């Protein structure tokens, strides 16, 4: 928890209370479903929660925006972002039912009114969203092919688009995208874990 306050010192008591509940929740559920590796579970707030919040360092989501988290797994990056932006609507999807079962249990446990979750593949969705977030579920070109048509190209929000958490060398993956913006997470968070981590933004008008 201390690592969150290190980089986000203005979290409200409501936000802090919800973030505190994450570790005991995941430890309990991890006994039943292998959501997070043992090593990562011991570093939950750094490697999952703070990593998810790297997106909050590059975009300030507005209450009227709707956000889709594709391949959310155990709820990342969607749940930390939903706690951070309590007035923004989030929809979390994953193709694996048991993971969505955990996410829905977490939504209930935290009393999150701004989050829904369902077992679904991105390609079967019909609604459109202002922002899509994800944590490296596939290569960037493949992800854009799956989700690019779900982005609203609205003049109301200039920050609409895809925000993709990715690590390592992405030079080949980004070659054919225009106006792509890459942020080094290490510019925000100083821990060694983030040295190779990136937030990749593909604006809506480039999709």
């Amino acid at each position: 928890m201390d690592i969150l306050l290190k980089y986000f010192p203005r979290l409200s008591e409501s936000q802090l209370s919800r973030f505190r509940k994450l570790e005991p929740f995941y430890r309990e559920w991890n006994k039943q479903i292998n959501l997070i590796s043992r090593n990562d579970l011991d570093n939950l707030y750094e490697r999952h929660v703070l990593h998810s919040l790297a997106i909050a360092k590059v975009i300030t989501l507005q209450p009227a925006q709707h956000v889709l988290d594709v391949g959310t797994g155990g709820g990342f990056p969607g749940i930390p972002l939903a706690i951070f932006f309590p007035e923004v609507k989030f929809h979390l999807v994953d193709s694996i039912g048991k993971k969505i079962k955990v996410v829905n249990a977490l939504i209930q446990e935290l009393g999150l009114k701004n989050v829904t979750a369902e077992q679904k593949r991105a390609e079967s969705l019909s609604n459109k969203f202002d922002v899509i977030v994800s944590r490296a579920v596939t290569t960037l070109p493949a992800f854009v092919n799956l989700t690019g048509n779900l982005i609203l190209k609205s003049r109301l929000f200039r920050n609409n688009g895809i925000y993709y958490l990715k690590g390592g060398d992405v030079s080949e993956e980004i070659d054919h995208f225009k106006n792509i913006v890459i942020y080094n997470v290490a510019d925000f968070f100083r821990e060694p874990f983030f040295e190779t981590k990136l937030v990749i933004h593909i604006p809506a008008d480039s999709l």
Side-chain angles (χ1 to χ4, degrees), residues 178-190:
K178 296 179 181 179
N179 303 322
I180 197 167
V181 184
I182 299 177
Y183 301 90
N184 292 303
V185 178
D187 290 341
F188 313 126
F189 309 139
R190 298 301 181 184

Side-chain angles (χ1 to χ4, degrees), residues 24-47:
F25 177 90
Y26 283 112
R27 285 195 181 280
E28 187 60 32
W29 273 95
N30 231 44
K31 296 174 185 176
Q32 305 174 50
I33 300 171
N34 188 23
L35 288 169
I36 300 172
S37 71
R38 175 67 181 274
N39 191 36
D40 274 4
L41 191 56
D42 290 340
N43 296 279
L44 177 74
Y45 288 103
E46 176 184 325
R47 298 186 181 183

Side-chain angles (χ1 to χ4, degrees), residues 34-83:
N34 188 23
L35 288 169
I36 300 172
S37 71
R38 175 67 181 274
N39 191 36
D40 274 4
L41 191 56
D42 290 340
N43 296 279
L44 177 74
Y45 288 103
E46 176 184 325
R47 298 186 181 183
H48 292 277
V49 181
L50 191 62
H51 188 204
S52 298
L53 292 178
I55 292 172
K57 286 290 189 180
V58 304
I59 179 176
T60 300
L61 294 168
Q62 303 301 314
Q65 288 182 294
H66 288 75
V67 181
L68 174 67
D69 176 6
V70 175
T72 191
F76 301 102
I79 292 293
L81 289 170
I83 296 172

